[in-house]
Amino acid sequence: MSPKTFKGVPTQKFGGFHDTESRILFKQELIPLKFEILRERFFSINKWKEYSGEAFAAFKLYDFNGHPVDREPQKGDFIRIDIPGPGEPEAKGYDWVEITDICFYQDSFSESISMTCRPSRNPENKKSRHVAHFYSSASSSTFMISRNPAHLKAAVYGRNERPNFNANFFNVIRNLATAAGGMAGAAKIQWKQLTDSFLDLD
């Protein structure tokens, strides 16, 4: 199966990938209102765990300077991820991604918002350029919400997923194990939990 292609989603060139999508149907007159609620959930990164349940990873938004913030995300912000299980020791047990792109598309028929993140350094540690994530910096995750006259969609598209080998021996072992689990489908299960929760709008 080939990866789907969308505006705002990086091209798949190597490694693993996944397309994780959830949809929900609404009456056409309700779509604009429901999409506004979905948009608020989508941009409330600090609440993603609250929406998805205790078993889900915890996400915390940080600004470019490494300070925690509670606002809508911006390009250049960072997200700290607390994944259940062993974390990145150098980053105090957390994995980090940088928001590299936020795209808005709209026409008379549909609307979509996407946010692309890539594994990054820990912005709290100004002295280190080490990528604090189990995937390499070439990997990406694009979070997307969209609407058309019939339904709303929430999705996560993983592209070019490879383990991060730029680490010490024990971190490489951890990265290999976590990345292998992610590419084998464990990550898709977690992302499906998130996309389903985005659309729990009643």
Side-chain angles (χ1 to χ4, degrees), residues 66-135:
H67 301 131
V69 290
D70 191 13
R71 55 161 170 74
E72 289 194 358
Q74 301 172 5
K75 183 177 178 179
D77 283 348
F78 294 88
I79 302 174
R80 189 191 73 184
I81 309 169
D82 186 4
I83 299 172
E88 236 287 352
E90 188 176 316
K92 301 178 182 178
Y94 300 111
D95 291 276
W96 289 86
V97 295
E98 180 182 358
I99 299 173
T100 58
D101 207 6
I102 299 178
C103 299
F104 299 84
Y105 300 102
Q106 186 171 6
D107 57 30
S108 58
F109 178 76
S110 63
E111 180 178 1
S112 69
I113 304 171
S114 66
M115 178 173 65
T116 297
C117 301
R118 293 186 184 275
S120 72
R121 63 183 176 86
N122 172 6
E124 294 181 309
N125 183 356
K126 301 295 191 291
K127 296 179 180 179
S128 176
R129 305 300 299 175
H130 168 69
V131 173
H133 197 282
F134 56 87
Y135 282 146

Side-chain angles (χ1 to χ4, degrees), residues 14-193:
F14 51 76
F17 72 89
H18 71 87
D19 297 323
T20 304
E21 300 176 326
S22 300
R23 290 180 175 82
I24 188 168
L25 298 174
F26 285 107
K27 292 181 179 178
Q28 186 171 345
E29 62 268 23
L30 293 177
I31 291 288
L33 173 62
K34 295 294 186 180
F35 188 73
E36 279 305 306
I37 299 172
L38 174 58
R39 182 188 185 282
E40 182 178 346
R41 282 178 164 243
F42 181 73
F43 281 141
S44 298
I45 292 173
N46 294 337
K47 294 183 179 179
W48 283 6
K49 182 181 178 72
E50 178 183 324
Y51 299 145
S52 301
E54 283 303 311
F56 193 68
F59 290 73
K60 179 69 178 173
L61 184 66
Y62 284 71
D63 66 16
F64 177 79
N65 294 310
H67 301 131
V69 290
D70 191 13
R71 55 161 170 74
E72 289 194 358
Q74 301 172 5
K75 183 177 178 179
D77 283 348
F78 294 88
I79 302 174
R80 189 191 73 184
I81 309 169
D82 186 4
I83 299 172
E88 236 287 352
E90 188 176 316
K92 301 178 182 178
Y94 300 111
D95 291 276
W96 289 86
V97 295
E98 180 182 358
I99 299 173
T100 58
D101 207 6
I102 299 178
C103 299
F104 299 84
Y105 300 102
Q106 186 171 6
D107 57 30
S108 58
F109 178 76
S110 63
E111 180 178 1
S112 69
I113 304 171
S114 66
M115 178 173 65
T116 297
C117 301
R118 293 186 184 275
S120 72
R121 63 183 176 86
N122 172 6
E124 294 181 309
N125 183 356
K126 301 295 191 291
K127 296 179 180 179
S128 176
R129 305 300 299 175
H130 168 69
V131 173
H133 197 282
F134 56 87
Y135 282 146
S136 75
S137 58
S139 309
S140 68
S141 294
T142 300
F143 303 86
M144 183 181 293
I145 57 171
S146 62
R147 68 172 176 90
N148 65 28
H151 69 257
L152 301 182
K153 183 175 79 170
V156 184
Y157 301 104
R159 296 291 182 266
N160 305 306
E161 296 174 338
R162 279 184 175 176
N164 176 16
F165 292 114
N166 185 19
N168 64 39
F169 176 77
F170 292 106
N171 281 351
V172 167
I173 298 301
R174 178 257 178 187
N175 293 345
L176 268 172
T178 309
M183 290 185 287
K188 187 178 176 73
I189 294 171
Q190 283 265 309
W191 292 136
K192 189 69 167 72
Q193 190 176 345

